[in-house]
Each structure stands twice: as C-alpha cells, then as structure tokens.
Amino acid sequence: MSSVPFAKVIVNPAAGGYSGRTKWPRINQLLCKVGLSFDYEFTNESGHAMAISREACEKGYGCVVAVGGDGTVNEVVNGILTSTNPRSTALGVISTGTACNFARSLGIPQDNASACLLLTGQSRVVVDVGLVTFQNQNKTSQRYFVGAADVGMGSAVVDIWNRQPSPFGSHLNHLLRLTEALIHFFQHRNKLMKIQIGPEVVTDYSFDVVIANQPYFADGMKIAPRATLNDGLLDMVTFGDISKYELLKMWPKLYHGGHIGYPKIEERQIESVTIDCQDKLLVEADGLILGETPASFQVIPAALTVVLADGSFA
C-alpha cells in the first residue's frame, strides 16, 4: 500500500457564514510553513465530512483535522469513531466557525497560526464523547457528540439558524443568529417533558434541557461551568418552568456560569438520561439538528484522542 500523508485536512467552506472558504488559502500556507505533512479536501454537503474522515482513518492517516466550526468537528469525530480502528487516528481542530465551543473548551487557539503550529506537536489528550439515540423519520438512529446536546428552546433555535444560513462572515453571522434567537425566545412555550435517570422519573414543564460534555454552549454561554471533557460524566442542566422575565434578568449570567444555583435551574452529573415529550421535540447536538424525541444520552468515556498543546487542558 502506498504511503499517505500524516494528516487529512477537511475544510468546510460554509463554516462561519462561508468565511471558511476565504480563510483557507492562508491556513493552507500556514500548514505548509509549519511543515505538516497533509492533503486536504473540501466538503460539499451535509455528512460529507463524516465520509471523508472515515475513509481517511481506514487509509491510515494519523490525524484528521476539522477546519470549520462545531458542526464540522462533530462530523469528523463521527467519521473517526465509526471507522474500524478509531484509536489510531487523532482529531485536530482549526476554527473557522461562528462559535467553536469545542476548541474553546479545550484551549485550542482560535488564532489559526497558533492552531496550525499545534498540529505539529506530539501532545495528545483523550476525551469523553456523548452518544445520543433519537428518532429520525420513524427510525431509531445514533450519533456521537463531543460538546453539548439539548432538547427544548436551544434545539428550536438551532433549527432556525441552520435553515437560514448567512453568507456574510462569522461576525455578522453571529449577530444575525442572536437576533433570530431573541425572536424565537419570545415565541417559545415551555414543554411538559419526562426526564428519566435510572429508576428516577420526573415529569415537569421545562424551557430547555442541556446535556453537556464541556462548559460552553450556543454562542459561547458557559452553560455547564463544572463540565469536564475527561471526567467520565455528562453534566445535565435543566431549565425548568422558568418565565421569560426571569431568563432575561439572568441572561448575562449565562456567559460566566452565574445562573447555576438559581432555584428553577438544576445541574447534575449523569452517565445517562432519557428525555421524552408528548409533543415531538427536536434533538440538537454540536449545532446540528439530528431528529426528534424520545431521545437518550449517554457518556462514552475516553473515546477520542485530540491533538493539544501542552498545558492547554487540565
């Protein structure tokens, strides 16, 4: 078999309001400058990064690099973890998306030059991933996620974001997404959800339920401040039957974790949970709409190897 480069670089040109395409020529130059042995491929549709990633793993690439946002990372990770030998391939990340919460949580530099240089190092970290089981067109499906998933207000907003892509770059994309989120916020109604953790079942109205493997969520909210990517647990943050007025008052606190401890917000560490609702609710993970409830979430400890700078993640 002919030798392959060390890294397969997967570029999502639509990431960050299509800023991925404009940023790639400089990233390409930076990767060549730091001496990384790589080849690259652009994605052209949803799911393409997963297929490229899986094929790269089968061909023996030592690293698959996601150039994009959290959705691109999710697809690349799913390609790695559904390959025949996922332990042999590490994940690298170069952020060109709007939020890039996975990179933020791991301390991977948002600066592309620093991120490219990091890929030539030898430091690695093994992290947990989540696995969500959900309904899609009346069939049961599964998907890995690395950052966070949710059911409720958050998943409904992601659905709006994904159906209205912005071709104007990451900064304007972020502002447009925030505007759309606020519009939907005032239209949203809390849903009666059934949440089961082991034998414990709670049925109550909820605004949103976030299942987090990392602290950051959405547009950089520190939604689960105690979440750690390598503790073998997921952090569930339940926003109960909370009013819009209460949420608006605490909104700034969501960005530094100050919402934890509020009486209608519960945070707990879990290994697995099942969420159901009489109304079919959308299920979202890493910024991608996957399907509908009922949905189950579980942690898969120490499942993924990530290229990381020394000391950037504890």
Side-chain angles (χ1 to χ4, degrees), residues 75-148:
E75 288 201 10
V76 170
V77 167
N78 274 270
I80 293 173
L81 295 181
T82 56
S83 68
T84 56
N85 196 8
R87 297 286 184 178
S88 298
T89 306
L91 169 71
V93 180
I94 299 174
S95 298
T96 62
T98 301
C100 304
N101 288 314
F102 181 68
R104 186 199 306 264
S105 296
L106 282 174
I108 295 173
Q110 299 293 300
D111 170 63
N112 291 155
S114 299
C116 289
L117 183 61
L118 183 154
L119 294 172
T120 64
Q122 300 299 313
S123 183
R124 303 284 187 272
V125 64
V126 178
V127 302
D128 309 329
V129 302
L131 177 65
V132 53
T133 304
F134 55 93
Q135 304 305 304
N136 187 0
Q137 298 180 343
N138 297 318
K139 294 182 179 180
T140 300
S141 301
Q142 291 187 318
R143 181 87 169 223
Y144 295 103
F145 65 96
V146 290

Side-chain angles (χ1 to χ4, degrees), residues 190 207 239-244 246-247 250 262 264-265:
N190 296 344
F207 175 80
F239 291 76
D241 196 14
I242 193 167
S243 71
K244 294 179 175 65
E246 290 172 294
L247 281 165
M250 73 169 62
Y262 188 81
K264 295 181 182 180
I265 298 176

Side-chain angles (χ1 to χ4, degrees), residues 49-72:
M50 191 187 311
I52 300 171
S53 175
R54 186 184 300 114
E55 182 180 10
C57 293
E58 304 295 353
K59 288 183 176 180
Y61 285 80
C63 180
V64 180
V65 181
V67 180
D70 290 320
T72 310

